[in-house]
Amino acid sequence: MEYDERLALFRQTRLNPFDRGEEEDGPQGDKTPPQHEARPEVFPGTRTHSSDRTMDLGLAEDHFSRPVGSFVASDIEQLKLAIEECKKLILELPEHSERQKDNVVKLIHLRLKLQELKDPEEDEPNLRVLLEHRFSKEKSKSVKQTCDKCSTIIWGLIQTWYTCTGCYYRCHSKCMNLITKPCVRSKVSHQSEYELSICPEIGLDRQDYRCAECRAQISLRGVPSEARQCDYTGQYYCSTCHWNDTAVIPARVIHNWEFESRKVCRSSMRYLALMMSRPVLRLKEINPLLFNFVEELVEIRKLRQDILLMKPYFITCKEAMEARLLLQLQDRQHFVENDDMYSLQDLIDISTGRLSYCEVRFVCELCKEGDILFPFDSHTSVCHDCSAVFHRDCYFDNSTTCPRCARMTERKQDEEELDVKES
């Protein structure tokens, strides 16, 4: 093929994003535009090397230097052929040579262009709702994310992708219509309970040797796909639905006080993460014997009972209100509502010793001496009207009314007198 024929073929089928578009000036002083807008390097020997080499972002000139199979990538199939041709050329070139480095860069751009053609950038909506997922369009250009549907990398630089605001499911825009799994958060909202049997396996044959989620064929031998067991559900999944993520299993914690992370499928991992802080475990009904073997659990139960006794002081005590003690329990609101419901996070924190609780202290207003008092102490008495705390002996020996009640009565009378004078 003659040079003019090669050049004509290149100009007819070249990819604009990869063109050099470099114009060549005519003789000095001649301002006549060149005959061709862009003149690619057809033969390797004609290339000029410089310190700041110009990277050809399209097909390398080496593709055209081959006498057989010369082509230009103008569609997806041609791009695939160009990628294979570039890969072969890289292997043939001397190791760490400049030409090899150039072709590696060209290979990267060819692959990016191929991905762009497969997933063209369109005007995608910012919010999409599908199977109770609320997908929000992401603006991040990070390439560290992986599509939960196809298990491939999300190229944020050139691909549109979405994240579910409920369960944090991530996927390509092109994969959204292939999603079959509903949002896990809807399950958490409608059915807030755990599987309390330890790895309730039913057997791969009962699953008809198919993934429990996508129904793809699986086997223990890995043909056509490896069967991976989820320790939470006990079922088997394919490698697309089970990425060997790990999580603490509630059933093992409740029955064995075991906190070792086990492998779970993707949907179980999201469900357990969303359920982590929900107080849905009533231990005294599920496994009351646990309190006989875990001393820390007994201590926390006693502390929670004390908190319930002190709840009126959290609300009425001026110092407690100023210190906003109730806000310190906002992450464990159930601690001020009952003493028998626990979340999985509570049990994890108990096992690691991170769980603590704040104390509110009282002083006997009658003798104003002695140790700090608590309403649950055996040697204290509590006023039924204002919940003030006194030494038992001081309170019963004193014939007058409660000092706090007296102050409150006096303050109320003063306010009433002030209202009468103003009226």
Side-chain angles (χ1 to χ4, degrees):
M1 183 180 295
E2 296 297 327
Y3 172 80
D4 291 338
E5 295 177 0
R6 293 175 184 267
L7 183 58
L9 176 62
F10 174 76
R11 294 187 63 191
Q12 292 173 4
T13 59
R14 71 177 184 228
L15 290 174
N16 289 335
F18 300 144
D19 288 341
R20 287 187 161 197
E22 297 177 353
E23 296 184 359
E24 298 181 359
D25 294 336
Q28 187 174 2
D30 187 0
K31 301 300 181 180
T32 304
Q35 182 179 357
H36 304 289
E37 290 183 359
R39 182 175 181 177
E41 297 174 358
V42 180
F43 300 100
T46 62
R47 180 172 180 172
T48 302
H49 293 276
S50 62
S51 58
D52 52 347
R53 305 186 319 274
T54 302
M55 293 295 184
D56 182 4
L57 302 185
L59 293 175
E61 59 275 10
D62 305 284
H63 292 299
F64 298 98
S65 65
R66 294 177 178 268
V68 180
S70 299
F71 57 89
V72 177
S74 58
D75 53 23
I76 292 179
E77 293 302 322
Q78 291 280 15
L79 270 174
K80 290 180 178 178
L81 293 175
I83 289 173
E84 293 301 320
E85 190 78 5
C86 193
K87 288 165 63 177
K88 293 178 182 178
L89 182 61
I90 291 173
L91 295 176
E92 294 174 0
L93 291 171
E95 194 74 16
H96 304 301
S97 64
E98 296 298 331
R99 290 184 59 196
Q100 188 187 53
K101 293 178 182 179
D102 286 353
N103 280 276
V104 168
V105 174
K106 295 168 188 175
L107 177 62
I108 294 173
H109 285 280
L110 284 171
R111 284 177 168 171
L112 288 174
K113 182 60 181 177
L114 177 63
Q115 190 63 51
E116 184 180 0
L117 292 179
K118 287 183 176 180
D119 185 28
E121 184 177 358
E122 300 175 357
D123 292 333
E124 299 282 358
N126 292 327
L127 184 66
R128 298 177 66 175
V129 179
L130 178 67
L131 295 177
E132 298 187 335
H133 291 281
R134 291 183 61 85
F135 286 107
S136 176
K137 186 177 180 181
E138 293 289 350
K139 299 180 180 179
S140 173
K141 302 301 182 181
S142 171
V143 296
K144 297 181 180 180
Q145 307 296 339
T146 304
C147 178
D148 283 302
K149 181 57 185 177
C150 65
S151 303
T152 59
I153 294 177
I154 297 176
W155 295 91
L157 187 64
I158 61 175
Q159 292 178 313
T160 304
W161 61 290
Y162 288 81
T163 299
C164 176
T165 57
C167 65
Y168 307 106
Y169 188 100
R170 300 183 182 92
C171 70
H172 297 103
S173 173
K174 63 180 181 180
C175 296
M176 293 191 64
N177 293 331
L178 304 177
I179 297 175
T180 58
K181 191 70 175 178
C183 181
V184 177
R185 183 170 288 277
S186 63
K187 180 181 178 182
V188 173
S189 302
H190 302 152
Q191 184 184 1
S192 295
E193 59 183 20
Y194 286 117
E195 170 60 60
L196 297 179
S197 299
I198 297 178
C199 195
E201 180 181 4
I202 61 174
L204 191 55
D205 56 335
R206 292 280 299 275
Q207 294 184 209
D208 196 24
Y209 295 92
R210 293 184 179 275
C211 172
E213 184 170 329
C214 70
R215 307 304 297 167
Q217 289 188 344
I218 54 177
S219 71
L220 296 176
R221 295 179 299 174
V223 180
S225 179
E226 177 188 4
R228 299 178 178 179
Q229 188 179 33
C230 172
D231 196 80
Y232 175 69
T233 64
Q235 296 179 308
Y236 290 88
Y237 299 80
C238 65
S239 57
T240 301
C241 301
H242 193 315
W243 295 4
N244 288 329
D245 299 299
T246 60
V248 176
I249 308 301
R252 295 185 181 275
V253 173
I254 295 172
H255 296 295
N256 300 335
W257 201 243
E258 176 189 333
F259 295 88
E260 180 183 355
S261 295
R262 304 284 181 143
K263 293 181 179 180
V264 295
C265 66
R266 295 291 289 175
S267 58
S268 294
M269 182 197 68
R270 292 193 186 89
Y271 182 76
L272 292 174
L274 293 173
M275 287 284 292
M276 181 68 70
S277 300
R278 288 181 172 255
V280 297
L281 299 172
R282 194 182 298 272
L283 294 184
K284 68 180 183 180
E285 294 182 1
I286 301 173
N287 185 14
L289 296 178
L290 193 61
F291 292 93
N292 297 337
F293 298 96
V294 184
E295 182 179 351
E296 297 85 356
L297 199 57
V298 178
E299 295 176 355
I300 292 299
R301 182 176 61 178
K302 178 61 169 62
L303 292 176
R304 291 186 62 177
Q305 293 171 349
D306 294 343
I307 289 177
L308 291 178
L309 286 175
M310 299 170 67
K311 183 178 179 180
Y313 303 95
F314 290 148
I315 301 173
T316 59
C317 177
K318 181 179 179 181
E319 293 184 2
M321 294 293 290
E322 291 177 352
R324 298 187 177 184
L325 294 179
L326 285 179
L327 289 179
Q328 298 183 27
L329 293 172
Q330 61 181 347
D331 293 333
R332 304 181 197 271
Q333 188 63 33
H334 52 287
F335 274 30
V336 295
E337 296 175 354
N338 58 70
D339 64 349
D340 59 348
M341 299 298 291
Y342 294 83
S343 68
L344 183 59
Q345 187 65 57
D346 292 338
L347 303 182
I348 294 175
D349 291 343
I350 290 173
S351 68
T352 58
R354 290 197 298 266
L355 185 59
S356 61
Y357 104 110
C358 54
E359 299 179 350
V360 179
R361 303 178 176 184
F362 299 86
V363 177
C364 177
E365 293 194 39
L366 294 175
C367 68
K368 300 187 183 299
E369 296 178 356
D371 299 331
I372 300 299
L373 302 181
F374 296 93
F376 46 82
D377 288 338
S378 59
H379 62 283
T380 61
S381 294
V382 179
C383 176
H384 296 292
D385 295 327
C386 68
S387 300
V389 182
F390 309 94
H391 289 113
R392 182 183 296 273
D393 296 337
C394 295
Y395 186 67
F396 283 105
D397 290 345
N398 193 287
S399 59
T400 60
T401 59
C402 168
R404 180 178 294 177
C405 289
R407 291 196 304 269
M408 294 174 61
T409 302
E410 183 179 358
R411 187 182 304 115
K412 184 177 181 181
Q413 292 176 351
D414 293 341
E415 291 176 354
E416 291 177 352
E417 292 178 358
L418 182 60
D419 292 339
V420 171
K421 292 180 179 179
E422 289 179 353
S423 60

